[in-house]
């Protein structure tokens, strides 16, 4: 199996189109046509991880953070990024990054945090905006099912945990073929009355090209009558952060001890106590100050994330306890999650979890 074939299967499960616009996801270096000898899954594709890949005969590294985030103007090994990339290229090792595509995935980074905490009734904290579109198309009634099948196969009608979702109305359509036409039914210069279905489906914006192509291939008409609308609806199953509820409310200090134990932490930085039970918890792996207001709006009692700055703590407004558990620490389950996903999809070559330390932050207690 080639690297491009492996990537295709990964992206079928975790579409890169879910990633944030600022991100640098996908194949960062390496030939997509090379056969895969083994996959090494890691958090950061640093030089010591590339060494590990060489030792384990893995020529594809699937990492969470992209080692190349901004443009490289040279490749001489003068810094940690260039050294890792240069060594990977010299040893014919490809590096593929998933990052915010997995952050935004319902079963991604934040789902892993919630699972560790045992949260229930999970919902996306910041649902993705401008992500959904609606297609309406008019089809001869006898071809309605044929067109629906084509649309569903192309990914239309997937809504959350449901697929093949559509709505159909029957009615009477009219058209008159003019000179130069080659109509499916009727004759030139004569108005045709047709028994037609109006089919409506919702889809994620990035699927539009293949859905329209599938529609035109399956539709019997020479000129297909359809409309595509941008929806203001938020996609409730893709987005940053999550929130959910503990089985039982906990005192704030007990909650902090619980989090320390579950995440193996040496310390937690937090805002002032609110003197109320912790029941609803919001989470956002990595740098999550941007989710504080969303967590407040969802009435979270506590919010777990990393990289909180001094002034960010004031945003709690004594209504919620903000907990900075560390950037790496909040994402520490990602490697295992990706390893499990890849292990289910590929069985013909070795898949390994990196054992190298890549967290640059250390604590002196």
């Amino acid at each position: 199996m080639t690297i491009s074939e492996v990537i295709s299967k990964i992206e079928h499960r975790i579409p890169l189109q879910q990633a944030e616009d600022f991100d640098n996801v996908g194949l960062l270096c390496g030939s997509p046509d090379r056969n895969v000898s083994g996959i090494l899954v890691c958090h950061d594709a640093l030089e010591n991880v590339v060494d590990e890949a060489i030792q384990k005969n893995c020529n594809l590294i699937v990492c969470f953070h992209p080692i190349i985030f901004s443009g490289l103007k040279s490749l001489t090994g003068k810094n940690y990024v260039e050294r890792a990339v240069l060594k990977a290229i010299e040893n014919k090792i490809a590096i593929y990054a998933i990052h915010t595509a997995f952050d935004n995935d319902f079963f991604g980074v934040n789902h892993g945090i919630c699972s560790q905490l045992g949260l229930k009734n999970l919902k996306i904290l910041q649902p993705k905006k401008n992500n959904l579109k609606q297609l309406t198309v008019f089809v001869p009634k006898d071809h309605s099912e044929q067109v629906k099948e084509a649309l569903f196969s192309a990914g239309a009608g997937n809504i959350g945990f449901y697929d093949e979702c559509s709505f159909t109305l029957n009615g009477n359509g009219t058209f008159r073929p003019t000179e130069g036409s080659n109509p499916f039914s009727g004759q030139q210069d004569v108005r045709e009355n047709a028994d037609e279905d109006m089919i409506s489906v919702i889809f994620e914006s990035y699927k539009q090209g293949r859905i329209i192509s599938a529609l035109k291939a399956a539709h019997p008409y020479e000129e297909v009558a359809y409309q595509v609308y941008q929806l203001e609806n938020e996609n409730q199953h893709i987005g940053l952060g999550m929130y959910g509820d503990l089985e039982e409310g906990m005192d704030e200090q007990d909650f902090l001890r619980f989090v320390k134990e579950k995440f193996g932490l040496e310390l937690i930085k937090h805002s002032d106590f609110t003197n109320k039970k912790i029941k609803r918890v919001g989470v956002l792996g990595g740098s999550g100050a941007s989710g504080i207001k969303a967590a407040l709006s969802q009435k979270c009692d506590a919010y777990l994330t990393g990289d909180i700055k001094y002034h960010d703590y004031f945003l709690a407004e004594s209504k919620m306890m903000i907990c900075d558990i560390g950037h790496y620490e909040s994402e520490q389950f990602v490697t295992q999650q990706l390893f499990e996903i890849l292990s289910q999809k590929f069985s013909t070559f070795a898949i390994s979890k990196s054992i190298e330390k890549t967290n640059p932050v250390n604590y002196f207690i």
Side-chain angles (χ1 to χ4, degrees):
M1 184 176 288
T2 65
I3 288 172
S4 64
E5 289 172 332
V6 168
I7 288 173
S8 178
K9 288 182 178 292
I10 294 173
E11 292 178 2
H12 182 74
R13 166 61 185 83
I14 310 168
L16 290 189
Q17 292 87 351
Q18 294 180 167
E20 297 297 304
D21 293 339
F22 66 80
D23 208 359
N24 188 36
V25 292
L27 185 63
L28 304 184
C29 71
S31 171
D33 299 323
R34 189 168 288 130
N35 286 327
V36 175
S37 61
I39 300 176
L40 182 65
V41 184
C42 69
H43 202 93
D44 300 278
L46 304 180
E47 187 177 9
N48 60 333
V49 174
V50 177
D51 287 331
E52 183 183 9
I54 295 169
Q55 189 268 325
K56 292 180 176 177
N57 192 34
C58 294
N59 65 347
L60 174 59
I61 295 173
V62 175
C63 57
F64 181 60
H65 289 143
I67 184 67
I68 303 172
F69 197 77
S70 53
L72 291 175
K73 293 187 176 181
S74 64
L75 198 55
T76 61
K78 64 180 177 291
N79 57 46
Y80 80 96
V81 173
E82 291 186 14
R83 286 192 294 274
V85 175
L86 195 58
K87 181 168 284 190
I89 292 172
E90 289 174 342
N91 289 274
K92 298 182 179 180
I93 294 172
I95 299 177
Y96 178 87
I98 203 78
H99 204 205
T100 57
F102 201 48
D103 277 312
N104 279 313
D105 195 87
F106 190 90
F107 293 105
V109 177
N110 299 295
H111 192 277
I113 299 173
C114 291
S115 297
Q116 194 69 15
L117 294 171
L119 301 183
K120 309 295 182 183
N121 310 316
L122 301 183
K123 294 182 180 179
I124 296 291
L125 184 64
Q126 299 178 90
K128 211 162 181 60
K129 301 177 184 293
N130 302 316
N131 178 253
L132 296 174
K133 290 186 176 181
Q134 181 177 8
L135 167 70
T136 299
V137 60
F138 299 88
V139 187
K141 186 172 180 61
D142 291 344
H143 290 76
S144 186
E145 286 304 313
Q146 169 185 315
V147 170
K148 281 184 193 176
E149 286 297 327
L151 294 173
F152 296 152
S153 296
N158 291 1
I159 303 175
F161 303 128
Y162 296 84
D163 63 7
E164 301 192 4
C165 301
S166 69
F167 187 79
T168 304
L169 282 175
N170 183 250
N172 183 264
T174 65
F175 59 90
R176 186 172 70 170
T178 59
E179 184 177 355
S181 64
N182 182 27
F184 168 73
S185 63
Q187 54 186 310
Q188 287 187 4
D189 299 322
V190 177
R191 183 194 301 158
E192 175 80 2
N193 287 277
D195 186 13
E196 293 184 328
D197 283 342
M198 183 181 77
I199 301 171
S200 179
V201 290
I202 292 175
F203 61 92
E204 291 160 326
S205 299
Y206 72 88
K207 298 176 181 177
Q208 181 168 331
R210 69 172 184 254
I211 288 172
I212 299 302
S213 294
L215 167 65
K216 291 181 177 179
H219 202 291
Y221 283 177
E222 183 179 24
E223 295 289 344
V224 181
Y226 70 93
Q227 295 92 36
V228 176
Y229 307 95
Q230 179 72 54
L231 300 181
E232 293 187 5
N233 306 50
E234 294 177 336
N235 191 334
Q236 299 294 326
H237 291 81
I238 297 176
L240 292 173
M242 264 191 164
Y243 66 95
D245 302 317
L246 294 165
E247 288 280 6
E248 301 288 341
M250 302 175 68
D251 292 331
E252 289 166 306
Q253 291 193 23
D254 289 338
F255 175 74
L256 291 174
R257 294 188 190 97
F258 170 71
V259 172
K260 282 185 70 175
E261 177 189 349
K262 289 293 183 180
F263 287 77
L265 306 176
E266 296 181 6
L267 58 87
I268 299 176
K269 295 192 295 181
H270 63 87
S271 60
D272 290 338
F273 288 141
T274 61
N275 297 317
K276 64 179 183 180
K277 294 279 189 180
I278 303 296
K279 176 71 172 177
R280 174 162 293 181
V281 181
V283 308
L284 203 166
S287 300
S290 63
I292 292 174
K293 291 183 180 179
L296 281 168
S297 70
Q298 297 300 336
K299 303 187 184 307
C300 292
D301 304 308
Y303 178 59
L304 270 60
T305 187
D307 296 343
I308 296 295
K309 296 180 181 179
Y310 177 86
H311 289 95
D312 294 332
Y313 287 97
F314 291 114
L315 299 177
E317 297 283 1
S318 301
K319 297 176 182 177
M320 177 179 75
M321 183 169 63
I322 297 173
C323 304
D324 186 339
I325 64 175
H327 189 121
Y328 174 87
E329 288 78 5
S330 67
E331 298 173 341
Q332 64 181 282
F333 311 111
V334 168
T335 301
Q336 178 63 29
Q337 288 176 279
L338 292 175
F339 174 77
E340 290 175 1
I341 290 170
L342 268 60
S343 295
Q344 291 171 0
K345 287 191 170 292
F346 308 109
S347 58
T348 56
F349 43 78
I351 301 174
S352 303
K353 279 191 304 180
S354 175
I355 59 173
E356 292 294 318
K357 178 184 180 296
T358 61
N359 183 9
V361 181
N362 297 279
Y363 302 99
F364 181 77
I365 304 297

